[in-house]
Amino acid sequence: MQATLDHVIRQPATWLLATLAVYRLALAIQRRARFTPLLHPVAVSTAILVAALSILGVDYDTYFSGARMIHFLLGPATVALAIPLFHQMKIIRRHWVRFCTGALLGSGVSIALGLSEELGGLASLTSALVMLTGVAGALMTQAVLGRLRLSDPCTHGFTLGVVAHGIGAARAMQISPRDGAFAGLGMGLAGLLTAVCLPLAFRLAGY
């Protein structure tokens, strides 16, 4: 029996199905909690999966061999954000300077996973901190904008995308397609400006 269990938990398909099932559970939990950012499905599902991996003694490489397909689909999912964004082109053309300025300010405090690895940092720790900043950013952004009484989908969505990246964009899509469209714009612009401006800043600083 133990040998059978060990065989099952080492199979890639096991962790692919487990990831999908746990995420569905996390969605149900957040729905019951009235979509509070504190119980974001990404954070909840990650906590459950980490606990399961620790209890069963499964290493990350074994888990990722099954979850690799989901990781691959992150690229197409990000590109798909361009579809709702296309319908907001009139607003983007009118306020493109504001969008670029906001993204530049937001990207100034962001850190890329690839940069962390290049500088000798721990990729796993960086990934955890990126997720943490995403959840915290989604929570704090909504609270701050609520205090300022800023409920416009353009401002709300864009801020979520810049501050809380993918997790913020997912949260924005839960609010409305328009929020999600501008969250995708904010996330994309912040990433682009970080990739372009950060190497220039390092070069000017003599690194």
Side-chain angles (χ1 to χ4, degrees):
M1 188 66 180
Q2 184 62 41
T4 302
L5 178 62
D6 289 341
H7 176 73
V8 170
I9 65 177
R10 300 292 171 183
Q11 296 303 306
T14 298
W15 294 106
L16 174 60
L17 295 174
T19 301
L20 296 175
V22 167
Y23 189 74
R24 289 285 297 179
L25 174 62
L27 285 173
I29 292 173
Q30 192 191 37
R31 193 177 299 114
R32 290 291 299 272
R34 299 181 181 180
F35 296 97
T36 171
L38 283 172
L39 294 175
H40 194 286
V42 173
V44 173
S45 56
T46 299
I48 294 174
L49 287 168
V50 167
L53 293 173
S54 299
I55 293 171
L56 296 172
V58 178
D59 58 72
Y60 178 76
D61 290 336
T62 300
Y63 166 78
F64 190 69
S65 65
R68 183 175 284 109
M69 179 57 68
I70 298 175
H71 183 267
F72 170 77
L73 291 174
L74 287 176
T78 302
V79 174
L81 289 172
I83 297 175
L85 187 59
F86 175 77
H87 299 290
Q88 310 298 330
M89 288 303 297
K90 186 179 295 185
I91 298 176
I92 295 171
R93 291 193 189 100
R94 189 184 309 147
H95 301 294
W96 67 271
V97 174
R98 296 180 182 179
F99 287 131
C100 290
T101 302
L104 182 62
L105 293 174
S107 63
V109 294
S110 65
I111 298 176
L113 179 60
L115 177 63
S116 174
E117 292 179 301
E118 186 68 24
L119 296 178
L122 296 175
S124 57
L125 177 61
T126 304
S127 298
L129 291 176
V130 166
M131 188 190 70
L132 179 61
T133 57
V135 175
L139 176 63
M140 294 175 65
T141 297
Q142 289 186 266
V144 171
L145 292 180
R147 288 280 186 176
L148 297 176
R149 297 181 180 179
L150 296 174
S151 58
D152 175 61
C154 175
T155 303
H156 194 264
F158 188 81
T159 305
L160 275 171
V162 172
V163 174
H165 44 83
I167 293 178
R171 174 58 183 156
M173 286 298 294
Q174 290 180 332
I175 299 172
S176 75
R178 195 174 184 186
D179 283 80
F182 286 106
L185 175 63
M187 181 175 63
L189 275 179
L192 177 63
L193 291 173
T194 299
V196 171
C197 297
L198 204 56
L200 293 176
F202 270 86
R203 182 172 297 180
L204 290 175
Y207 289 100

